[in-house]
């Protein structure tokens, strides 16, 4: 209902406006502009209800630029991208557009192209806009978006660096992700040194880049540089304990190769205090089993499972308590049920959109956010 009020008020306003346009032209333009901007916000909330009413009042008043822009925006929002593109292109045929008005129309047209998936056209248009004073920042932000969609990471980094030079350096975490993408490409072609260089640059841009630390750890592990690998994994755990499940195994492998059981136990013990999942506990149980024997491992695990139950922990307890070849029906049945439970559950979840993939994505396939997918914790999680 609240939508009807401003719309009704505007109808009356527009009807009355035609008589007094000459005397207060300045004021009228300002009011119209703020009115339609306000209406745009309403449309964002409840587009379907507002659309028809808006069209009724907007179309007769088609001569102001603000109205045209609001209308074009509306078409796009409604999925009528072709119509929005035609409208915004027609604006350019008007003889008396100021440079600022032309830029406004360009930005809208760029949005249309993006929505229509016409990335080449959007890219060309925003490159033109780069030449217009005062429009560089918006053009660069849109170009960064386009290059991401095109997976053109080099260009995305260059655009972000240019944006930073003009004063907006808020994209460092994003740039680090782009560098990690380049590192992935280098690894795929077997170029470890190039990958390593990209990852180091990522950390220079954004020292808290978990992905770069993890990838560096994996490269060092593969090249059997155990001490360096362990350092990167330790750093991952320090930056965000939610990723501990990603590093426990490779970290124990590295420390085992170094023969440093003492450090391994100390790290795992520390991590059990900070981690919400059970990966570090299972790592610690593994070390206790090796060092102090199976009974000590069972006691430790059983005690901790009371405090924080987990299916993964119970599954491990089963293995510790019964020999792997124990084929009694009841043991096999419980083992089977627990395995199925663990297999069926997704292991990761995007904190932004809730998407639950079975692998760790750094770029959420659903909402396209970076670094929001994490391991799931809790009863059936890691
Ligand atoms: Zn997501």
């Amino acid at each position: 209902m609240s939508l009807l009020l401003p719309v009704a008020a505007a109808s009356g306003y527009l009807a009355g406006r035609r008589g007094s346009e000459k005397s207060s032209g300045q004021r009228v333009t300002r009011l119209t502009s703020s009115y339609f901007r306000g209406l745009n916000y309403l449309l964002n909330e409840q587009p379907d209800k507002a659309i028809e009413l808006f069209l009724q009042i907007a179309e007769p008043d088609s001569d102001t630029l603000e109205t045209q822009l609001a209308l074009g925006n509306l078409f796009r929002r409604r999925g009528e991208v072709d119509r929005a593109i035609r409208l915004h292109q027609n604006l350019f045929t008007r003889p008396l557009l100021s440079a600022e008005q032309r830029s406004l129309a360009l930005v809208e047209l760029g949005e249309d192209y993006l929505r229509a998936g016409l990335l080449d056209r959007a890219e060309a248009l925003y490159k033109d806009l780069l030449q217009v004073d005062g429009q560089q920042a918006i053009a660069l932000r849109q170009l960064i978006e386009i290059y991401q969609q095109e997976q053109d990471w080099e260009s995305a980094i260059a655009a972000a660096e240019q944006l930073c030079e003009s004063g907006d350096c808020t994209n460092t975490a994003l740039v680090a992700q782009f560098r990690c993408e380049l590192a992935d490409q280098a690894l795929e072609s077997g170029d470890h040194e190039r990958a390593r260089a990209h990852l180091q640059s990522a950390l220079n841009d954004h020292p808290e880049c978990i992905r770069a630390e993890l990838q560096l750890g994996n490269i060092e592990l593969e090249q059997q540089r155990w001490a360096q690998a362990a350092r990167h994994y330790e750093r991952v755990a320090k930056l965000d304990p939610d990723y501990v499940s990603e590093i426990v195994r490779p970290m124990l492998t590295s420390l085992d190769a170094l023969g440093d059981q003492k450090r391994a136990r100390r790290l795992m013990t520390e991590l059990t205090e900070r981690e919400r999942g059970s990966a570090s506990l299972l790592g610690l149980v593994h070390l206790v089993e090796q060092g102090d024997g199976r009974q000590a491992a069972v006691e430790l695990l059983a005690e901790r499972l009371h405090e924080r139950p987990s299916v993964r922990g119970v599954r491990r307890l089963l293995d510790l308590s019964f020999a792997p070849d124990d084929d009694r029906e009841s043991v096999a049945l419980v083992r089977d049920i627990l395995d199925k439970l663990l297999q069926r559950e997704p292991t990761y979840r995007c904190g932004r959109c809730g998407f639950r993939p079975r692998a760790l994505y750094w770029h959420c396939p659903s909402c396209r956010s970076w670094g929001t997918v994490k391991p799931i914790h809790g009863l059936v999680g890691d």
Side-chain angles (χ1 to χ4, degrees):
M1 277 315 284
S2 64
L3 273 174
L4 293 174
L5 290 174
V7 170
S11 296
Y13 164 69
L14 288 172
R17 175 195 148 179
R18 292 194 170 82
S20 61
E21 200 159 31
K22 276 175 193 156
S23 58
S24 59
Q26 274 299 324
R27 193 171 150 269
V28 163
T29 308
R30 211 163 49 236
L31 281 173
T32 319
S33 150
S34 58
Y35 167 70
F36 280 112
R37 216 165 285 146
L39 189 59
N40 261 339
Y41 292 128
L42 285 176
L43 292 169
N44 287 339
E45 300 300 319
Q46 287 177 291
D48 290 341
K49 284 186 193 171
I51 278 170
E52 288 311 320
L53 288 168
F54 180 63
L55 286 176
Q56 278 169 23
I57 60 163
E59 273 184 321
D61 186 63
S62 59
D63 48 352
T64 69
L65 182 80
E66 287 88 352
T67 314
Q68 290 292 315
L69 291 178
L71 195 58
N73 194 315
L74 180 59
F75 288 146
R76 187 172 63 236
R77 214 168 280 282
R78 211 184 183 188
E80 299 178 63
V81 186
D82 288 347
R83 215 170 160 189
I85 289 176
R86 271 201 307 280
L87 185 148
H88 289 132
Q89 282 173 338
N90 280 337
L91 286 181
F92 291 104
T93 62
R94 291 185 171 199
L96 292 174
L97 280 189
S98 69
E100 190 193 354
Q101 288 174 325
R102 196 171 285 276
S103 302
L104 278 174
L106 268 179
V107 170
E108 290 294 324
L109 188 58
E111 292 272 357
D112 298 339
Y113 286 153
L114 275 182
R115 179 66 65 87
L118 302 168
L119 295 181
D120 288 353
R121 284 200 205 176
E123 184 184 334
L125 190 147
Y126 285 117
K127 277 181 173 166
D128 284 347
L129 203 60
L130 268 183
Q131 312 305 322
V132 181
D133 276 347
Q135 300 297 321
Q136 283 91 353
I138 187 162
L140 285 168
R141 284 188 201 108
Q142 295 287 39
L143 281 170
I144 293 171
E145 186 56 43
I146 292 166
Y147 294 137
Q148 281 184 68
Q149 289 191 36
E150 291 173 340
Q151 306 202 338
D152 179 353
W153 311 115
E154 304 267 14
S155 300
I157 292 168
E161 283 174 344
Q162 206 181 331
L163 187 62
C164 186
E165 279 164 23
S166 67
D168 177 357
C169 296
T170 52
N171 286 310
T172 49
L174 199 59
V175 170
Q177 292 283 355
F178 300 160
R179 294 199 192 281
C180 291
E181 291 289 337
L182 288 175
D184 277 352
Q185 287 175 358
L187 280 180
E188 270 166 34
S189 58
D191 191 341
H192 286 77
E193 285 320 302
R194 241 172 90 77
R196 204 195 298 263
H198 283 306
L199 295 169
Q200 286 298 349
S201 301
L203 287 173
N204 289 341
D205 282 324
H206 184 62
E208 289 82 32
C209 183
I210 291 167
R211 179 182 181 183
E213 292 285 3
L214 187 59
Q215 275 172 307
L216 276 170
N218 292 342
I219 291 175
E220 304 292 16
L221 186 82
E222 203 185 307
Q223 302 197 329
Q224 306 197 345
R225 291 151 62 105
W226 311 114
Q228 287 88 337
R231 247 202 323 274
H232 288 298
Y233 292 133
E234 203 172 340
R235 178 98 178 112
V236 170
K238 204 162 263 163
L239 285 170
D240 189 343
D242 282 347
Y243 288 96
V244 162
S245 54
E246 300 298 311
I247 55 108
V248 164
R249 274 170 194 269
M251 191 196 245
L252 288 182
T253 304
S254 313
L255 293 175
D256 189 47
L258 288 169
D260 199 345
Q261 300 301 318
K262 213 170 141 189
R263 182 165 158 219
R265 270 212 202 193
R266 179 175 55 75
L267 279 172
M268 288 302 131
T269 308
E270 278 170 21
L271 287 177
T272 56
E273 303 294 321
R274 297 174 50 226
E275 192 205 355
R276 288 188 293 162
S278 58
S280 54
L281 171 61
L282 296 182
L284 183 61
V285 167
H286 169 74
L287 294 171
V288 169
E289 184 192 6
Q290 281 188 329
D292 309 338
R294 180 175 286 226
Q295 190 51 36
V298 169
E299 281 167 22
L300 170 71
L301 183 54
E303 181 197 318
R304 297 293 179 90
L305 279 176
H306 273 298
E307 297 161 14
R308 201 188 304 170
S310 75
V311 174
R312 240 170 253 284
V314 173
R315 178 69 182 80
R316 184 80 178 91
L317 189 63
L318 198 73
D319 276 349
L320 283 170
S321 308
F322 302 95
D325 56 353
D326 190 327
D327 58 356
R328 272 175 295 171
E329 203 178 331
S330 56
V331 176
L333 180 67
V334 175
R335 191 179 281 139
D336 190 42
I337 288 172
L338 293 178
D339 283 344
K340 277 188 180 137
L341 207 54
L342 288 168
Q343 274 162 22
R344 216 179 47 192
E345 286 298 305
T347 346
Y348 299 90
R349 182 176 175 279
C350 173
R352 176 71 61 82
C353 73
F355 179 63
R356 290 153 75 102
R358 290 194 58 86
L360 176 57
Y361 288 94
W362 296 102
H363 196 197
C364 174
S366 175
C367 72
R368 319 303 295 167
S369 301
W370 291 94
T372 50
V373 174
K374 288 184 173 190
I376 294 175
H377 309 292
L379 208 58
V380 208
D382 65 26

